[in-house]
Amino acid sequence: MATIRKRGNKYQAQVRRKGFDTQVRTFHLLKDAQEWARLQETLADRHELPTNKKALEGVTLGKLVERYRDEVLPRMKGGTNETINLNAILRHPICKKSLAELGTKDFAKFRDDKLQTVTAKSLQRILSPIKHLLNMAKDEWGYPLRENPLDRLRLKTTDNKRERRLRPGEIDQLLLCAAGKEKREGRGHTNRKRNPYVIVIVEFALETALRRGEILALRWADVDIERQSATVQESKNGYSRTIPLTPKAIDLVNRAKAIAMGDGDKEPDLSASIFPLTPNGFRLAWERLVKRAKITDLHFHDLRHEAISRLFEKGLTVPEVASISGHRDARMLFRYAHANQSAVRAKLGAGLVMENKETYGV
């Protein structure tokens, strides 16, 4: 708040704002005092005034991290993984620094320390919630931070987008191992009991291009067999969407229903999950499956890449594929679409044959 007092033949302007040092200046003319006071209030609104360090000295970065972890992350998707990262950061000495002394140089040292053990891409994921919580502290929690120290931190990352597609025979080996019928040296086929949902989820991912979390979150009420569709209530970007189901996808839903019903005739609860596995439980099952299948460098998310690429190869347009995949940015969608090189070579070869026939008549 600005106040202007007349002192003798001069005017003293004073601007006070919580979290900032009091600004005082004296002018000969009233209009100059008023104009300066308006400017200082504008600077205060932009957090551009010198901050009151006393208001920041009693608050450490660790205190903000704990508040963000306990109040914000429980409401966010993927908060479990970020909670693990934040708990690890709390053990670092940087969390003992007060906001009054915390600067970009401190995060530069943190960056250099972490890059000894993690990649630049992983470090970016670690720092992302820290940057967000500092913005919240400045904009919503009322801490008089002049700027976010992470805004000026340099972090060079490389584009490590994956272009992994299924190789010939890999899906057959996965399905064989998921069914517990993989071959072992000198033993032929085994009949070890596996979780029956794993094989269904793998095939369902290839048919629908859904993310792991979206598949595990599907409930019986979300699937309409008559209309051959499924509704994703909330995706990674926060939007819902309805996708078409192929005949094979519907067959997979019916297989999951048969597993859920067992020998009984009772219909499954509509509010229950179609695939009743926890994210961590399925992650461990997937890792064991890939290991048994002796397949290297295959992530479950690669099945989404494979499914989206297949949709393009079937001739679907970008808007049609986006309506299924849930992408709202075509640039991000193209990161997932990788043409099958053997199919491209076949098309190029066919095109060359046609060109020769038209040109030379052979």
Side-chain angles (χ1 to χ4, degrees), residues 59-79:
V59 183
T60 64
L61 175 62
K63 182 177 179 180
L64 295 187
V65 170
E66 290 174 348
R67 178 175 178 181
Y68 185 83
R69 178 197 63 191
D70 299 337
E71 297 181 9
V72 180
L73 285 187
R75 306 193 303 265
M76 297 176 62
K77 294 180 70 66

Side-chain angles (χ1 to χ4, degrees), residues 162-196:
R162 290 177 63 82
E163 298 185 0
R164 177 72 155 88
R165 292 200 58 179
L166 288 174
R167 302 185 183 107
E170 285 186 335
I171 186 60
D172 293 332
Q173 185 61 16
L174 281 173
L175 299 181
L176 200 64
C177 291
K181 297 179 180 179
E182 69 271 26
K183 284 187 176 181
R184 295 193 174 188
E185 294 183 6
R187 296 187 183 182
H189 289 83
T190 66
N191 289 306
R192 296 183 64 187
K193 188 175 181 180
R194 309 294 188 198
N195 188 316

